[in-house]
Amino acid sequence: EARKKGQNHTIMYEPSMADKSVHFSQIQEALRSALSRGEISLHLQPQFNTDTSLLRGFEALVRWNHPRLGPVSPADFIPIAEQNGTIIEIGEWVLRQACEIHLKELLPLFPEALMSVNISAVQLGDPDFAAGVVRILEETGLPPDRLELEITESGLMASVESAAETMTQLEKLGIRFALDDFGTGYSSLNYLQKFPIHLVKIDKSFIHDLSGRQNKSRMTESIINFVHMLNLPVVAEGLETDEQLTLLRDWRCDFVQGYLFSRPIPAGEAPAYVRRILNQPSPVTP
Ligand code: C2E
Ligand code: MG
Ligand code: MG
Ligand code: MG
């Protein structure tokens, strides 16, 4: 785990990243030029229908490869990018890149596939956000109903009124919204009715704890049932074992995503991945 020391503005990363401590201000500066230096890239991780084993689509996950630090986790740099505003530019790049690849490379192979893109609270709170999404869809030509935006509860809390308005506007175009990391925040039931949410993603901390932990299992099953009662589908993220898949199947979890099927792969490798799974029994099949 990376440790953040806000007090003295020092961030310490895992030895695997680079056994160095780096000043917060240096990271901030490095982020400002990361895009123009080509250090930012996109990985894609597939999602599958639990029942039919069919590919549902991909989640786009941003990657930053710093020349000296090596790969920096988005869990570490997204909060910094949110703080210094670079998330707006990075987020736009991610969205455009994801839409472009999806339309040109993946939809021709699998027209039903969705592309899911993570959206930060700062982006959602930006008054220009909706217009930016519309512009990117127009420029890339991606049909809006092939795009899903992943929002967290904290993202919704940050600006309740404007978020609802922005989402309603985009929903009318056919864009879907997924509530990400469900179960880790306040999990306020309010959010599910106040905002146009089309799908809920159960946080991977629930999935990892499934084996053996009775309480966690019951909670996960209840969350799935609860979301289903609202007529929304559920994605479980972070599946790593067959045991977890068996449980989620029993509980009628709609979609699954995790290392069990595939790690996030460089976007350039995604078309070959799709071709491979279309010619093979799906990886979800036991
Ligand atoms: P998230 O949106 O909840 O994404 C799921 C995270 O779980 C990803 O981490 C993914 O690589 C990881 N994961 C997937 N399957 C497994 C598994 O089986 N086991 C384990 N242990 N992990 C798994 P990643 O890529 O490091 O991203 C971390 C978080 O950073 C994301 O959580 C999301 O909140 C944020 N993030 C990533 N890309 C973007 C982006 O383009 N924009 C924004 N705003 N946030 C992003
Ligand atoms: Mg996500
Ligand atoms: Mg998540
Ligand atoms: Mg997360």
Side-chain angles (χ1 to χ4, degrees), residues 78-264:
I78 294 286
I80 302 174
E82 286 175 331
Q83 238 171 328
N84 75 357
T86 47
I87 188 66
I88 299 287
E89 215 188 320
I90 293 172
E92 255 191 58
W93 184 89
V94 167
L95 185 61
R96 177 173 281 109
Q97 195 76 3
C99 289
E100 224 169 76
I101 292 167
H102 197 44
L103 182 77
K104 288 194 193 145
E105 316 261 356
L106 303 176
L107 285 182
L109 300 170
F110 196 79
E112 292 83 19
L114 290 169
M115 178 58 71
S116 306
V117 180
N118 292 284
I119 300 298
S120 133
V122 175
Q123 290 173 274
L124 194 62
D126 175 5
D128 298 329
F129 178 69
V133 173
V134 171
R135 183 162 28 83
I136 288 172
L137 287 174
E138 281 170 3
E139 284 170 10
T140 60
L142 184 73
D145 67 354
R146 296 299 89 204
L147 180 64
E148 182 170 80
L149 301 178
E150 298 194 3
I151 315 277
T152 60
E153 275 180 293
S154 50
L156 297 176
M157 274 166 59
S159 49
V160 175
E161 292 313 319
S162 67
E165 206 180 297
T166 301
M167 290 167 73
T168 306
Q169 200 181 333
L170 292 174
E171 181 196 36
K172 283 188 189 134
L173 303 176
I175 294 172
R176 271 166 247 233
F177 287 93
L179 190 56
D180 202 357
D181 301 347
F182 192 75
T184 57
Y186 290 86
S187 304
S188 162
L189 313 184
N190 242 339
Y191 287 114
L192 289 171
Q193 53 148 55
K194 197 169 198 139
F195 298 95
I197 301 288
H198 304 89
L199 171 134
V200 170
K201 293 188 83 171
I202 301 185
D203 191 67
K204 57 178 179 287
S205 59
F206 285 88
I207 310 307
H208 290 172
D209 277 359
L210 282 185
S211 13
R213 307 271 301 281
Q214 280 257 320
N215 283 340
K216 218 45 184 256
S217 295
R218 287 209 194 94
M219 251 193 266
T220 307
E221 187 180 4
S222 308
I223 293 176
I224 295 170
N225 288 334
F226 166 74
V227 176
H228 280 168
M229 277 196 270
L230 299 174
N231 280 319
L232 298 176
V234 180
V235 179
E237 62 179 15
L239 257 82
E240 293 181 358
T241 69
D242 286 317
E243 192 189 356
Q244 292 163 350
L245 178 60
T246 304
L247 286 171
L248 289 160
R249 272 223 175 96
D250 285 349
W251 300 334
R252 306 265 177 274
C253 180
D254 305 84
F255 305 103
V256 282
Q257 174 182 353
Y259 295 171
L260 177 63
F261 318 109
S262 169
R263 288 185 173 256

